[in-house]
Amino acid sequence: MTAFSRFTPLASALPSTVPFVGPEAIERSRGLAVKARIGANENGFGPAPSVMTAITAAAADTWKYADPENFELKQALAAHLGCAGENLAIGEGIDSLLGQIVRLVIDPGMPVVTSLGAYPTFNFHVVGHGGRLVTTPYINDREDLDGLLDCVRRENAPLVYFANPDNPMGSWCDADSIVAFAKALPETCLLVLDEAYCETGPAGATPGLQALIDHPNIIRTRTFSKAYGLAGSRVGYAISTPGTARAFDKVRNHFGMNRIGVAAALAALQDQAYLSEVIARISASRDRIAAIARANGLEPLPSATNFVAINCGRDGAYARAIVDGLMEQGVFIRMPGVAPLNRCIRVSTGPEQDMALLEQALPQVLKAIT
Amino acid sequence: MTAFSRFTPLASALPSTVPFVGPEAIERSRGLAVKARIGANENGFGPAPSVMTAITAAAADTWKYADPENFELKQALAAHLGCAGENLAIGEGIDSLLGQIVRLVIDPGMPVVTSLGAYPTFNFHVVGHGGRLVTTPYINDREDLDGLLDCVRRENAPLVYFANPDNPMGSWCDADSIVAFAKALPETCLLVLDEAYCETGPAGATPGLQALIDHPNIIRTRTFSKAYGLAGSRVGYAISTPGTARAFDKVRNHFGMNRIGVAAALAALQDQAYLSEVIARISASRDRIAAIARANGLEPLPSATNFVAINCGRDGAYARAIVDGLMEQGVFIRMPGVAPLNRCIRVSTGPEQDMALLEQALPQVLKAIT
């Protein structure tokens, strides 16, 4: 297969990696149909009816580019969060923002600290910019904040990433420990605090907005993809100081936001009653997943997210066999990629018909592979 | 304004540039309302009714991420274009693809060839990756293919960009000259042939797909933003050899496409009858703009695009005064940024109510500034 001969040395050395294989690709490659889509931490409860109305209303204007300044969405978010619009940057999902952050901070060879087994898309961006991943293991299935801090200091790293609540384990650190970590961090190190799942965590799991808003070396990332049910709309945002937030303007695709997605996000933000309702359903679904796990002799881990990691008690090959076996029955789930996290499978919350399929399929799969 | 202290030297040196100020920003900063939105080469005729239906149908699934492989859209485009899905890469508009291309090819200090006054967003990406812009002037308001080739050879440049049909001038080169240019290009230079406006050009203005499909050093970029009327949906694509097309997988945001936008693009592609109708309306609107220009003593330039560049016969300050004066009356247009192109204003085609506003406002503006 002939390619252009003069890509940069960095680009030439990169694999054509896909961080996650999508369920559609699995369907095509294995000739299977997904019946329960509970593997990508999407929100099967879907967005609010008010969001559907907003999408239909916005459709007629999709011939127009979105406002490149994202003024209206920034204002609405600022009012909701209790900050200024200048504290915010908007992007095509957190993934896009992560790519921009890595690009702004990392030159080839520079160390980037994260946990071993944490979000692969962050690692994809680090590798893509020639960064050198420095990892510390999870401890008891939680991010090891002390270990991360030690790595940062030892390497004089300019960038550290973790998610709270965490993906793929669903665990969380309390707000006080996050704030203590942030304050102990050298100001020459940028913390990306990924809060994609902040809406579904317990009280006390997420620092208040004011606690970190004055730190130029902290960027908190959030999204409409999870609790708000808009993964396909691609709207994420970053919260930082105005100076740090402005740096995104140097590299972002200014006309990258889709207009209907922005309208959907605005409507979703206005409908906090629906959000509360969905969060309750997610919580109930976590309990349902945990009960299914226990009924099959597996151990559900506590979760602050819209998914549950389930300890299957054996190695990664065993968990992989469960993931593959469930997919054979149309139940799409995923699993962590690295030991010892990969003794677990990861099941996203979703509507009862998905849970019923899981409940039906799991014992059959376990029986078949034992 | 305090920012993180350790961005890369390249990032630190970049301005927080916005390539284009959006009409919404102009409305906010000047306290004016846009009545005729004919400045951003959007398509005011809007997408097809079938596309509206597809958007509404897709809305309920916007809780799902889009297929990261964009399989269905690639297959549909391949069938439409007469190539293989492997020849294609999909992105969040051409702008996003341009950023990825520059990243794959340009290390700091490397020369990049383009025409003086051509698409500013390409230049934004080049500067953003530390590239060094090498430009050649337009000749008679057209891209100077010989001049571009001379620059490439002189500089041993790895990357050259031009648009055909051209933005901001609306001019075009015939297909034979494009093919001759492409074949004369050293294979160590990647040509980005931006064909955002290919659907609205005359027969013979765009090389057939097969003419360049086997050249690993040619990427043709196209979009649903212009003739298809989906600027806000953010769907563009690149056509090249399978090897070159795969390189995008190394750096793209794999989950960056919005699901409703992809559904809209698929539906738009299926409705070629509507596309033909819109192309006829764009053509008629070009004639209408030209007639308005002539009635005011200005000279419309021939156009193969969905806009018309109008020679106002004086300098950039005069054209700027016309742009500003029209905006005062709610008519949003733009103009080229560089002399001698900036003796022109640039007016996008659009529905009759927009043309009527232009017809009414232009003589008043000209009278006021003379």
Side-chain angles (χ1 to χ4, degrees):
Chain A
M1 206 160 52
T2 317
F4 177 58
S5 59
R6 202 178 168 189
F7 290 124
T8 65
L10 173 58
S12 299
L14 290 176
S16 293
T17 308
V18 180
F20 293 108
V21 178
E24 297 84 358
I26 299 172
E27 287 182 309
R28 286 189 295 269
S29 66
R30 296 179 57 180
L32 296 168
V34 168
K35 296 173 196 160
R37 187 169 162 129
I38 48 176
N41 303 343
E42 297 160 331
N43 181 345
F45 301 113
S50 61
V51 171
M52 293 293 117
T53 304
I55 289 173
T56 302
D61 270 352
T62 196
W63 63 272
K64 301 176 185 172
Y65 291 107
D67 172 18
E69 298 183 0
N70 299 302
F71 181 82
E72 200 181 350
L73 181 56
K74 280 189 181 179
Q75 292 303 110
L77 279 169
H80 176 71
L81 296 167
C83 65
E86 292 70 26
N87 290 111
L88 302 172
I90 310 289
E92 306 91 337
I94 289 177
D95 285 0
S96 172
L97 294 163
L98 293 179
Q100 294 168 40
I101 292 167
V102 173
R103 178 175 161 194
L104 286 166
V105 176
I106 297 304
D107 274 329
M110 293 175 86
V112 178
V113 175
T114 184
S115 299
L116 184 62
Y119 191 46
T121 301
F122 178 73
N123 298 358
F124 168 80
H125 289 306
V126 170
V127 171
H129 287 279
R132 178 169 55 84
L133 286 164
V134 177
T135 60
T136 191
Y138 282 65
I139 294 186
N140 294 329
D141 299 316
R142 282 174 52 179
E143 303 272 356
D144 173 18
L145 298 185
D146 291 337
L148 290 166
L149 191 58
D150 286 347
C151 284
V152 166
R153 287 175 172 151
R154 189 178 68 237
E155 298 275 352
N156 183 23
L159 187 60
V160 58
Y161 169 92
F162 69 91
N164 186 62
D166 179 67
N167 177 20
M169 300 312 287
S171 56
W172 68 99
C173 301
D174 65 78
D176 289 348
S177 66
I178 301 282
V179 171
F181 174 89
K183 294 194 169 170
L185 200 66
E187 64 182 23
T188 52
C189 182
L190 183 70
L191 166 62
V192 180
L193 176 57
D194 187 346
E195 301 183 321
Y197 299 97
C198 65
E199 293 89 357
T200 52
T206 297
L209 202 86
Q210 293 307 319
L212 302 173
I213 195 80
D214 292 329
H215 291 57
N217 67 324
I218 298 176
I219 297 177
R220 303 169 76 168
T221 55
R222 297 186 181 182
T223 183
F224 286 89
S225 297
K226 305 301 176 186
Y228 286 104
L230 291 171
S233 292
R234 307 286 62 217
V235 184
Y237 57 102
I239 312 167
S240 191
T241 60
T244 296
R246 266 176 64 93
F248 289 92
D249 282 339
K250 299 180 174 200
V251 297
R252 71 187 177 94
N253 185 6
H254 287 260
F255 286 84
M257 297 300 294
N258 79 92
R259 195 172 178 106
I260 290 174
V262 172
L266 268 168
L269 194 66
Q270 303 310 323
D271 199 339
Q272 292 293 315
Y274 182 83
L275 179 69
S276 299
E277 188 185 310
V278 164
I279 289 170
R281 296 176 77 181
I282 288 170
S283 177
S285 182
R286 286 194 302 239
D287 293 343
R288 180 88 166 92
I289 293 169
I292 294 169
R294 284 192 201 96
N296 285 277
L298 309 178
E299 178 204 7
L301 305 186
S303 169
T305 62
N306 72 342
F307 60 86
V308 178
I310 300 170
N311 178 6
C312 300
R314 292 169 60 176
D315 64 2
Y318 184 67
R320 169 59 56 200
I322 297 174
V323 170
D324 288 345
L326 286 173
M327 183 65 203
E328 287 291 328
Q329 306 212 25
V331 178
F332 165 65
I333 68 166
R334 284 203 176 112
M335 61 179 284
V338 172
L341 313 183
N342 67 359
R343 72 192 192 287
C344 298
I345 56 174
R346 197 194 67 178
V347 180
S348 306
T349 55
E352 176 51 31
Q353 66 265 30
D354 294 350
M355 297 300 108
L357 284 167
L358 175 70
E359 185 172 41
Q360 183 178 41
L362 185 58
Q364 297 175 30
V365 170
L366 291 172
K367 190 173 173 193
I369 64 175
T370 301
Chain B
M1 205 160 53
T2 316
F4 177 58
S5 59
R6 202 179 170 189
F7 290 124
T8 66
L10 174 57
S12 299
L14 290 175
S16 292
T17 307
V18 180
F20 294 108
V21 178
E24 296 85 359
I26 300 173
E27 287 182 311
R28 287 189 294 269
S29 67
R30 296 178 58 180
L32 296 167
V34 169
K35 296 173 196 161
R37 187 168 161 130
I38 47 177
N41 303 342
E42 298 159 331
N43 182 345
F45 301 113
S50 61
V51 171
M52 293 294 116
T53 304
I55 288 173
T56 303
D61 270 352
T62 196
W63 63 272
K64 301 176 184 172
Y65 290 106
D67 171 17
E69 299 183 0
N70 298 301
F71 181 81
E72 200 182 350
L73 181 56
K74 280 189 180 180
Q75 291 303 110
L77 278 168
H80 176 71
L81 295 167
C83 64
E86 291 71 25
N87 291 111
L88 302 172
I90 310 290
E92 306 91 336
I94 289 177
D95 284 0
S96 172
L97 294 164
L98 293 179
Q100 294 170 39
I101 292 167
V102 173
R103 177 175 162 193
L104 286 166
V105 176
I106 297 304
D107 274 330
M110 293 176 85
V112 179
V113 176
T114 183
S115 298
L116 184 63
Y119 191 46
T121 301
F122 178 73
N123 297 359
F124 168 80
H125 289 305
V126 171
V127 172
H129 286 278
R132 178 168 55 84
L133 285 163
V134 178
T135 60
T136 190
Y138 282 64
I139 293 187
N140 295 327
D141 300 315
R142 282 174 51 180
E143 304 272 355
D144 173 18
L145 298 185
D146 291 337
L148 289 166
L149 192 57
D150 285 348
C151 284
V152 167
R153 287 175 173 151
R154 190 180 67 238
E155 298 274 353
N156 185 24
L159 187 60
V160 57
Y161 169 92
F162 69 92
N164 185 63
D166 180 67
N167 177 20
M169 301 312 287
S171 56
W172 67 99
C173 301
D174 64 78
D176 289 347
S177 66
I178 301 283
V179 172
F181 174 89
K183 294 194 170 170
L185 200 65
E187 64 182 23
T188 52
C189 181
L190 183 71
L191 165 62
V192 181
L193 175 58
D194 186 346
E195 300 183 321
Y197 300 97
C198 66
E199 292 89 357
T200 52
T206 297
L209 201 86
Q210 293 307 317
L212 301 173
I213 195 80
D214 292 330
H215 291 57
N217 68 324
I218 298 178
I219 297 177
R220 303 168 77 167
T221 56
R222 298 186 180 181
T223 184
F224 285 89
S225 297
K226 304 302 177 183
Y228 286 104
L230 291 172
S233 292
R234 307 286 63 215
V235 184
Y237 57 101
I239 312 166
S240 191
T241 60
T244 296
R246 265 177 65 93
F248 288 92
D249 281 339
K250 300 180 173 199
V251 296
R252 72 187 176 94
N253 184 5
H254 287 261
F255 286 84
M257 298 300 294
N258 78 92
R259 194 172 177 106
I260 290 174
V262 172
L266 268 168
L269 194 65
Q270 303 309 325
D271 199 338
Q272 291 292 315
Y274 183 83
L275 179 69
S276 299
E277 190 185 308
V278 164
I279 290 171
R281 296 176 77 181
I282 287 170
S283 177
S285 182
R286 286 195 302 240
D287 293 344
R288 179 89 165 91
I289 293 168
I292 294 169
R294 284 193 201 96
N296 285 276
L298 308 178
E299 179 204 5
L301 305 186
S303 169
T305 62
N306 73 341
F307 60 86
V308 178
I310 300 170
N311 177 5
C312 301
R314 293 170 61 176
D315 63 2
Y318 184 67
R320 169 58 57 200
I322 297 174
V323 170
D324 288 345
L326 285 172
M327 183 66 203
E328 288 290 329
Q329 306 214 24
V331 178
F332 165 64
I333 66 166
R334 284 203 176 113
M335 60 178 285
V338 172
L341 313 182
N342 66 359
R343 71 192 194 286
C344 297
I345 57 174
R346 197 194 68 178
V347 181
S348 305
T349 55
E352 175 51 30
Q353 66 266 29
D354 293 351
M355 297 299 109
L357 284 168
L358 175 69
E359 185 172 42
Q360 183 178 40
L362 185 57
Q364 297 175 30
V365 170
L366 292 173
K367 192 175 170 192
I369 65 174
T370 302

